[in-house]
């Protein structure tokens, strides 16, 4: 089967024809952000939610019948999931802007003929490992240079309890060989780290396992797997357990296809939102953004920092709250981020650190050790980049302290992005509010989660150009 080409709605900053579109195999694309001379203004929509998009394709591939997905994120990470679902036997097609997934039923995945290359996508790699673990097949999984550095032992450990076998490089890294269990047994697992990816991997392994699979999470993490599986007809019971949750899934359901409208990604909206907050006089509205409270910690922080943020048009779409986020240029002050808020903004720390660099006073981030194992070591990458741009920053083992002056940071640096889309976008936003331009060494990875980012920002009045 061949992959249909997947045009993106915003084509302005994609690789020129003939170059690899995914970033990780193609040439580096340095970009520069110039200090904003006029306020940012306009109403925009950001691409679809990455977490929901991965799950829509995976659950559609396990349903019996056709799942139709509107607003799927057509970024490289999700396209890697689409290709993997095809390789496992599902029919996945893009027609007239919608994605159609014809599933094979729980237990029906076929052994892939070739290595599954998940590119830069940690979520896809971990969740697919869960699916493979309880199908009687052998599969090989790899990823790009960033993904091959990220820990996989965290899913290997619970998934082997179902009866699967993993062979991982250095016991913890991709590439991996996964030999799925012939007769899997249900598992009860307490997460050692707050991770929606690990929770989801265990629940997905539980799908093709008879009996009840239980996951206990000490802190609540994004719950898209639970709510979407319920919508597909699975029996998933969620109870409070201390500060976290206990999730119980009854195995071997028949999943029924559903129509999915993917909301805008709050993690992508975070970049124009902070850009508006730190550029004087700005007025930006972002339509139809997902507002699941397990995802919106950044917006709570920005309000505590003094940002003028208003949310209108609140409604529920496909089981998820959505709304329009309005942000005005504001004078920000430093805050202490409550450590219990970390899971609800785990992907937003790079851009929060940029807001902190433009705020007056100290912003203290702690309890965020997980940032060290994201697409890059985000604590190290942000601290080094901010320092290069003239910002006072102290690196902590589990966070950082950023001290802003309330005036534009100096800027005037070239930042190493370490194959990390969010580091790339965060420093371009910093450049808009700095005294001198900020250059990033490679903007190609932005396409993994936010195709069209630079074009969309230019539409608001930002000067982001090829360096
Ligand atoms: C995700 C979970 C988070 C997040 C990632 C997406 C998901 O990872 O950082 O971008 O869709 O489940 P962890 O669960 O490892 O924190």
């Amino acid at each position: 089967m061949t992959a249909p080409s997947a045009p993106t709605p915003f084509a302005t900053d994609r690789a020129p024809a003939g170059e690899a579109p995914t970033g990780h195999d193609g040439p580096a694309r340095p970009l520069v952000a110039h200090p904003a001379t006029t306020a940012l203004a306009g109403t925009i929509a950001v691409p679809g939610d990455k977490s929901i998009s991965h799950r829509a394709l995976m659950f559609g591939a396990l349903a019996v019948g056709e799942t139709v997905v509107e607003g799927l994120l057509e970024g490289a990470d999700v396209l890697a999931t689409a290709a993997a679902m095809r390789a496992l036997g599902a029919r996945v097609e893009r027609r007239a802007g919608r994605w159609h997934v014809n599933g094979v039923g729980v237990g029906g995945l076929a052994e892939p003929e070739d290595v599954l290359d998940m590119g830069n996508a940690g979520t896809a790699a971990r969740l697919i490992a869960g699916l493979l673990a309880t199908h009687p097949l052998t599969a090989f999984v790899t990823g790009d240079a960033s993904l091959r550095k990220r820990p996989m032992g965290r899913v290997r450990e619970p998934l082997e309890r179902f009866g699967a076998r993993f062979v991982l490089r250095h016991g913890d890294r991709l590439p991996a060989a996964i030999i799925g269990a012939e007769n899997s047994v249900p598992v009860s697992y307490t997460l050692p780290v707050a991770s929606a990816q690990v929770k989801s991997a265990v629940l997905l392994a539980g799908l093709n396992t008879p009996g009840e699979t239980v996951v206990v999470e000490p802190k609540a993490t994004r719950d898209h797997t639970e709510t979407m599986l319920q919508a597909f007809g699975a029996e998933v019971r969620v109870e409070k357990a201390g500060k976290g949750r206990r999730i119980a899934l009854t195995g071997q359901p028949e999943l029924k296809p559903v129509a999915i409208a993917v909301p805008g990604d709050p993690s992508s909206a975070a970049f124009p939102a902070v850009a508006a907050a730190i550029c004087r006089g700005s007025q930006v509205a972002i339509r139809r953004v997902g507002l699941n409270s397990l995802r919106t910690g950044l917006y709570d922080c920005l309000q505590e920092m003094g940002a003028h943020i208003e949310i209108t048009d609140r409604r529920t779409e496909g089981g998820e709250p959505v709304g329009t986020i309005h942000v005005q240029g504001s004078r920000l002050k430093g805050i202490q981020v409550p450590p219990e808020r970390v899971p609800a903004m785990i992907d937003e720390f790079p851009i929060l650190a940029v807001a902190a660099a433009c705020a007056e006073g100290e912003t203290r981030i702690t309890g965020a050790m997980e940032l060290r194992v994201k697409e890059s070591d985000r604590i190290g990458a942000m601290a080094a980049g901010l320092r290069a741009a003239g910002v006072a920053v102290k690196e902590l083992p589990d966070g950082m302290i950023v001290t802003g002056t309330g005036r534009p940071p100096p800027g005037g640096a070239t930042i190493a992005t370490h194959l990390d889309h969010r580091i790339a976008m965060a420093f371009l936003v910093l450049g808009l509010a700095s005294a001198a331009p900020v250059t990033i060494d490679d903007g190609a990875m932005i396409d993994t989660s936010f195709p069209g980012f630079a074009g969309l920002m230019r539409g608001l009045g930002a000067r982001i150009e090829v360096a």
Side-chain angles (χ1 to χ4, degrees):
M1 273 176 278
T2 53
S5 69
T8 81
F10 322 102
T12 44
D13 56 337
R14 292 184 65 82
E19 291 182 11
T22 53
H24 44 84
D25 294 327
R29 271 187 276 157
L31 294 172
V32 58
H34 296 274
T37 45
T38 54
L40 303 182
T43 299
I44 54 172
V46 294
D49 189 276
K50 183 149 72 79
S51 294
I52 294 176
S53 294
H54 282 303
R55 286 161 175 83
L57 295 175
M58 289 183 202
F59 303 168
L62 291 176
V64 177
E66 184 170 277
T67 290
V68 181
V69 190
E70 211 170 322
L72 188 91
L73 168 63
E74 295 176 342
D77 276 15
V78 175
L79 298 181
T81 290
M85 292 303 112
R86 281 188 205 106
L88 292 166
R91 213 166 74 222
V92 184
E93 291 166 347
R94 185 187 198 276
R95 290 201 300 271
R98 293 203 175 110
W99 287 74
H100 298 254
V101 185
N102 276 275
V104 294
V106 169
L109 296 178
E111 185 163 279
E113 281 179 18
D114 201 350
V115 176
L116 302 175
D117 185 349
M118 305 323 303
N120 194 249
T123 303
R126 270 75 173 254
L127 270 57
I128 282 170
L131 291 179
L132 298 172
T134 55
H135 277 76
L137 49 77
T138 297
F140 300 89
V141 181
T142 192
D144 72 2
S146 154
L147 186 52
R148 292 197 306 272
K149 285 190 198 143
R150 298 181 66 186
M152 292 296 287
R154 53 179 56 199
V155 289
R156 171 202 190 135
E157 211 270 308
L159 295 178
E160 287 194 332
R161 296 186 193 194
F162 285 89
R165 280 197 297 134
F166 279 64
V167 183
L168 285 163
R169 188 171 58 88
H170 302 313
D172 190 29
R173 301 290 147 99
L174 297 178
I178 302 177
I179 302 149
E182 298 255 353
N183 297 299
S184 54
V185 289
V187 163
S188 191
Y189 190 68
T190 299
L191 297 181
V193 285
S195 167
Q197 293 181 357
V198 179
K199 168 176 69 177
S200 302
V202 175
L203 291 173
L204 296 192
L207 270 183
N208 194 33
T209 301
E212 190 175 75
T213 289
V214 175
V215 183
V216 176
E217 51 178 3
K219 286 184 189 161
T221 63
R222 67 188 69 194
D223 58 1
H224 306 302
T225 296
E226 297 91 302
T227 51
M228 290 176 72
L229 280 178
Q230 283 166 342
F232 274 88
E235 204 183 314
V236 185
R237 286 169 311 288
V238 182
E239 293 161 12
K240 278 199 157 216
K243 286 187 179 159
R245 295 179 179 195
R246 177 184 187 277
I247 302 125
L249 167 97
T250 304
Q252 300 187 319
E254 178 164 315
L255 298 184
K256 295 178 183 54
V258 288
I260 299 175
V262 182
D265 196 326
S267 299
S268 296
F271 296 97
V274 168
I278 63 178
C279 291
R280 191 167 300 165
S282 297
Q283 299 254 20
V284 169
I286 313 164
R287 276 188 277 109
R288 231 187 127 255
V289 181
L291 296 173
N292 182 317
S293 62
L294 294 168
R295 299 287 302 279
T296 50
L298 171 81
Y299 300 95
D300 299 331
C301 287
L302 288 175
Q303 278 174 327
E304 287 166 16
M305 294 172 89
H308 296 283
I309 297 184
E310 205 197 330
I311 297 179
T312 61
D313 303 323
R314 280 185 191 268
R315 59 197 186 277
T316 302
E317 276 189 21
E320 289 285 340
V322 298
T324 300
I325 302 178
H326 304 257
V327 188
Q328 284 179 30
S330 312
R331 291 191 75 82
L332 303 182
K333 60 180 185 345
I335 58 160
Q336 181 147 355
V337 180
E340 61 275 12
R341 193 179 286 163
V342 167
M345 54 179 297
I346 190 65
D347 291 334
E348 280 63 79
F349 284 97
I351 194 63
L352 176 77
V354 166
C358 299
E360 187 174 351
E362 202 175 272
T363 294
R364 184 178 284 262
I365 299 164
T366 55
M369 186 72 133
E370 274 294 295
L371 296 180
R372 297 226 179 251
V373 292
K374 293 296 176 190
E375 284 82 332
S376 68
D377 167 358
R378 286 185 174 158
I379 296 174
M382 285 310 297
L386 288 176
R387 220 172 273 131
V391 177
V393 53
K394 181 172 190 295
E395 191 174 331
L396 307 173
D398 63 343
M400 66 184 92
I401 301 168
V402 181
T403 307
T405 59
R407 292 185 302 279
T414 296
I415 308 296
T417 53
H418 304 283
L419 291 175
D420 188 330
H421 54 131
R422 298 198 207 279
I423 299 293
M425 288 186 277
F427 278 102
L428 289 174
V429 171
L430 182 74
L432 304 178
S434 294
V438 171
T439 303
I440 58 167
D441 64 350
D442 187 7
M445 301 312 293
I446 293 172
D447 284 352
T448 62
S449 69
F450 200 153
F453 168 75
L456 201 69
M457 295 300 295
R458 281 195 288 270
L460 294 173
R463 273 181 65 210
I464 297 178
E465 295 163 355
V466 174

